[in-house]
Amino acid sequence: MTFDVLLHYNEADRLEALRSLQILDTPIEERFDRITRLAAKIFDVPICAISCIDQHRQWFKSIHGSNTVETARCISFCQHTILQDDAFVIEDAAIDPRFADSPLVNGKSSDRGIRFYAGVPIHAQNGMPVAAICLNAFEPSSFTEKELD
């Protein structure tokens, strides 16, 4: 199966907003790592990341629970998240036809496959969604309304 890159309706401005932040390929910063560690603890998930969605890749400014630096955009969950206004939740990626064949889900990109995903978009000052903060787990899960808030 091939995976498509999903484009924002204003992709050129979105990419310009991301690049104007001058954050891509910058060193690890504790201020971002504190956020991902805290979110992973609060939601009791093994992985939490802040991922920037560039033209062809998903690059992690911070990732707690994994050593991954980036993935192809076409297989990323976060490329879907930046197209949403609210939280984007996949309770069981293994049975979701959009993700079931992904190497992130079937374990071909790591030892274990992602089953649960929840993410919210991060917007630049101009309102363009440039990144996402996301939670990942290796078992199916769900969120309560309170957790979504």
Side-chain angles (χ1 to χ4, degrees):
M1 176 176 203
T2 60
F3 296 92
D4 296 322
V5 170
L6 304 177
L7 300 177
H8 186 267
Y9 72 91
N10 198 346
E11 184 70 3
D13 287 349
R14 193 193 72 73
L15 288 170
E16 182 179 319
L18 172 61
R19 292 183 182 126
S20 73
L21 295 172
Q22 298 180 347
I23 198 169
L24 291 172
D25 301 309
T26 58
I28 291 171
E29 295 180 58
E30 178 59 25
R31 63 186 174 149
F32 293 102
D33 288 348
R34 278 194 302 271
I35 294 168
T36 55
R37 280 194 311 268
L38 180 61
K41 185 174 183 175
I42 288 170
F43 292 102
D44 192 28
V45 294
I47 299 172
C48 179
I50 296 173
S51 63
C52 299
I53 309 302
D54 199 1
Q55 186 173 2
H56 299 291
R57 66 183 173 147
Q58 166 181 251
W59 177 79
F60 298 109
K61 177 60 182 169
S62 175
I63 187 162
H64 171 81
S66 176
N67 293 324
T68 304
V69 176
E70 66 182 53
T71 67
R73 179 177 174 174
C74 65
I75 62 169
S76 78
F77 290 87
C78 293
Q79 77 162 341
H80 294 260
T81 301
I82 65 167
L83 302 178
Q84 312 295 315
D85 291 325
D86 297 315
F88 180 63
V89 179
I90 302 297
E91 294 182 355
D92 188 348
I95 61 172
D96 188 309
R98 296 170 294 183
F99 304 105
D101 290 331
S102 169
L104 298 175
V105 175
N106 62 33
K108 291 182 180 172
S109 69
S110 65
D111 293 338
R112 301 178 71 186
I114 293 169
R115 296 290 294 275
F116 174 76
Y117 170 91
V120 293
I122 299 172
H123 296 88
Q125 276 190 315
N126 68 356
M128 288 288 121
V130 294
I133 183 165
C134 62
L135 307 168
N136 296 291
F138 303 119
E139 300 295 329
S141 190
S142 62
F143 270 165
T144 65
E145 285 299 316
K146 184 177 178 181
E147 289 171 321
L148 283 172
D149 285 343

